[in-house]
Amino acid sequence: MIKITNITSAKQEQAVLEVQENQVTHHHVVSMHFIYTHHLEIGQELPTAFYRQLVQENEYDQLYNKALHFISYQMRTISEVKKHLGKSTSDESVIQTIVDRLKKDHYINDATYVKEYVSEKLEYDIIGPIKIKEKLIQKGIHYDLIDSELQRYTETLEYAKMEDFIRKDIRYTIKKPYRKYIESLKRKAINRGFHLHVIDSAIVSFKDDILEQIDDRELLQKEYCFLRKTHDIDHYDDRQKLIQKLLRKGFNYDRIKELLEEESPC
């Protein structure tokens, strides 16, 4: 027989059940509801089989409540719930039983999760479809569900998002050569999950707007004057070499030409 030696109240309607088995003391965190349901009290003696049943039932209850808490403040995918419960138990059958119960009670549903996740991203975030798909895959969502919902993310909408991204990025003066800035802009857009052909198309459309925000005159003049020391711009080959070097540094060709036509920029 196993004897209950103490019951101590804990936080959040929990209690610590202390039992003694063969002079060994065990502690179990249980809910107060569990105590009341099974009419447990100090001094009570429990048959071994009944005690083992209580331990198993309590483990399930604790895990189920842990799952409920996990999904109470944020929508979760089935995979996320399984991973969370896996931190507390290695019993896959218990985890699956809890997941099945949550699904039956409509607490978790991957199809609903994907629909709301995509809607939120389309409504509020400047993010491309590639990044959305990547994030959903990481959350354990099946490809078919993702692809079905991403049909709503049309190329027209992606282009509009990319335009918003560029407008936001060029709100302030840009202290970089044109090409360097474009390279940086592309990297950021790719990281946000936009398709490369959409990125390139939007950049072409915004070329003049970008150039207006770029203030690289000082940088260009500094590089130009440094190269003038070793290049004779009155000599065609030297002049072309100087232009090529400035282009490789990311400066815009038209601005280089303008500088070359000035009488004495240095």
Side-chain angles (χ1 to χ4, degrees):
M1 297 290 284
I2 297 165
K3 186 175 182 178
I4 298 175
T5 54
N6 199 10
I7 299 175
T8 307
S9 297
K11 296 179 179 179
Q12 297 178 338
E13 295 297 314
Q14 298 281 301
V16 177
L17 181 70
E18 180 182 285
V19 301
Q20 192 167 53
E21 179 183 17
N22 298 327
Q23 297 184 334
V24 177
T25 301
H26 302 283
H27 295 88
H28 303 282
V29 176
V30 300
S31 68
M32 294 303 297
H33 177 72
F34 187 86
I35 297 288
Y36 300 143
T37 300
H38 295 286
H39 309 291
L40 304 177
E41 55 187 32
I42 297 172
Q44 183 179 359
E45 293 187 343
L46 308 171
T48 301
F50 180 58
Y51 170 68
R52 301 282 183 258
Q53 180 184 332
L54 287 179
V55 170
Q56 187 175 12
E57 183 180 331
N58 180 60
E59 179 186 9
Y60 175 86
D61 286 349
Q62 291 293 317
L63 287 170
Y64 183 72
N65 289 331
K66 184 184 289 288
L68 286 178
H69 178 71
F70 185 60
I71 65 177
S72 65
Y73 54 91
Q74 182 179 326
M75 283 190 67
R76 305 288 185 177
T77 67
I78 292 171
S79 177
E80 287 176 322
V81 172
K82 285 182 175 180
K83 287 179 181 178
H84 184 68
L85 293 177
K87 297 175 183 177
S88 302
T89 180
S90 58
D91 192 332
E92 294 292 337
S93 63
V94 172
I95 292 175
Q96 189 59 54
T97 300
I98 291 173
V99 166
D100 289 342
R101 180 179 171 184
L102 293 171
K103 288 166 64 177
K104 182 181 178 181
D105 293 338
H106 306 292
Y107 287 129
I108 53 175
N109 184 304
D110 278 358
T112 301
Y113 183 95
V114 175
K115 184 175 182 179
E116 295 197 13
Y117 184 90
V118 172
S119 294
E120 180 182 323
K121 296 302 177 185
L122 293 181
E123 182 72 22
Y124 301 110
D125 290 355
I126 301 179
I127 187 174
I130 298 174
K131 179 61 72 174
I132 292 177
K133 185 170 185 176
E134 177 186 307
K135 290 292 187 182
L136 289 171
I137 290 172
Q138 290 173 359
K139 291 176 179 290
I141 300 293
H142 195 279
Y143 286 83
D144 290 345
L145 285 176
I146 299 172
D147 291 339
S148 176
E149 283 301 322
L150 280 180
Q151 290 181 17
R152 293 192 282 144
Y153 202 145
T154 63
E155 188 168 295
T156 300
L157 180 56
E158 183 180 358
Y159 186 83
K161 290 273 188 184
M162 186 60 209
E163 284 186 324
D164 289 341
F165 176 67
I166 295 177
R167 288 191 189 97
K168 186 176 179 180
D169 207 67
I170 63 173
R171 287 177 300 172
Y172 308 107
T173 301
I174 302 165
K175 296 289 186 178
K176 288 183 181 179
Y178 177 78
R179 201 184 75 189
K180 293 290 185 183
Y181 172 72
I182 294 301
E183 290 173 356
S184 173
L185 181 66
K186 279 189 176 184
R187 283 195 299 271
K188 288 189 286 186
I190 289 171
N191 288 337
R192 281 179 173 260
F194 291 101
H195 289 98
L196 187 57
H197 70 280
V198 173
I199 297 171
D200 287 338
S201 179
I203 287 174
V204 169
S205 298
F206 276 81
K207 182 178 180 179
D208 290 340
D209 300 274
I210 295 170
L211 283 170
E212 284 183 12
Q213 290 299 98
I214 288 179
D215 182 13
D216 62 350
R217 172 77 185 187
E218 186 177 336
L219 286 173
L220 174 57
Q221 186 170 328
K222 182 179 179 180
E223 290 291 339
Y224 170 78
C225 291
F226 176 76
L227 291 172
R228 275 290 307 272
K229 296 175 182 178
T230 54
H231 294 75
D232 182 1
I233 62 171
D234 293 326
H235 189 279
Y236 179 79
D237 287 343
D238 265 12
R239 184 184 182 92
Q240 292 305 115
K241 288 178 182 179
L242 185 147
I243 292 173
Q244 288 303 315
K245 287 182 179 180
L246 290 173
L247 287 172
R248 283 196 293 271
K249 289 182 179 292
F251 294 105
N252 177 261
Y253 178 76
D254 292 334
R255 294 193 173 184
I256 296 171
K257 292 286 288 182
E258 289 175 6
L259 193 60
L260 284 167
E261 290 168 4
E262 292 185 12
E263 289 188 8
S264 56
C266 299

